[in-house]
Structure formats: C-alpha cells, structure tokens
Amino acid sequence: MKTKYHYASVSKALEELKLLGFDRDYNLDEDFIVQNVLDINIVHVYRYEGFTNPDDQAIVYGIEPKNGQKGVFVSGFTPNAITDALRALIDIQIRQRE
C-alpha cells in the first residue's frame, strides 16, 4: 500500500486514524518498532507544522505491522525528539520510497 500523507493537527490525525482501526499506541512500545523494522508498513503520515514556532512541528505515523496490530506513533519533529523508534520509522519511509 502506498503511504498517504496528510497535514492536520495531532488530535485530528489521531481521531481519523482511530476511526480507521489504528488503535494501538506504539509510543508505549517503541522497542517493537525498533525490533521489527522489516515487518512494518507506514500507511499514513500526518505532519503538523506550527506557523509561528518551529518547535510546534509534530508527526503522526499510522503503521501496520505484519502482525495486523495497526497503531500510531507520535513524535515531535525537532532534532532533540529523534529516538531510536523515530529513526527506524524514518528509515522505513526511505525504504518504502525505493
């Protein structure tokens, strides 16, 4: 499935993804993302960019692992917000574009 990109507030993104069945919070299990990079498909990416402050940037991923447990991962999008899980998701995005 091709990744769909959206621009919305974080709360709107989470509402829309929940309606689509993305109900697992992968922020509570970042190790799952890091350990299963080859088994994860990113199907939705929501970006929120604050108009006045670059620190207001956020990204919401709608991810679908091969195990079928669709869920979300939310992160700030600043250099100090990059975790191992976010780095893994960025790598997945790059791989999916190839």
Side-chain angles (χ1 to χ4, degrees):
M1 174 180 237
K2 186 172 169 87
T3 304
K4 296 179 184 175
Y5 292 86
H6 313 273
Y7 294 87
S9 69
V10 172
S11 60
K12 182 72 173 164
L14 293 173
E15 287 174 21
E16 289 177 9
L17 288 170
K18 186 161 185 91
L19 290 173
L20 295 172
F22 291 81
D23 52 8
R24 183 168 177 191
D25 183 352
Y26 282 102
N27 287 85
L28 300 176
D29 191 8
E30 291 189 22
D31 288 338
F32 178 86
I33 294 171
V34 174
Q35 295 167 3
N36 294 282
V37 172
L38 297 177
D39 295 332
I40 290 175
N41 187 30
I42 298 171
V43 291
H44 294 280
V45 177
Y46 290 80
R47 285 203 54 177
Y48 173 74
E49 298 178 7
F51 293 110
T52 59
N53 186 348
D55 289 339
D56 288 341
Q57 295 183 27
I59 191 161
V60 178
Y61 288 98
I63 62 176
E64 189 170 7
K66 286 184 181 177
N67 70 10
Q69 295 182 352
K70 296 192 298 187
V72 297
F73 183 83
V74 181
S75 178
F77 209 68
T78 59
N80 62 346
I82 303 218
T83 63
D84 289 340
L86 180 57
R87 189 172 292 110
L89 289 170
I90 292 168
D91 290 344
I92 292 167
Q93 275 186 288
I94 293 168
R95 180 175 37 104
Q96 285 184 187
R97 288 182 185 170
E98 296 175 347

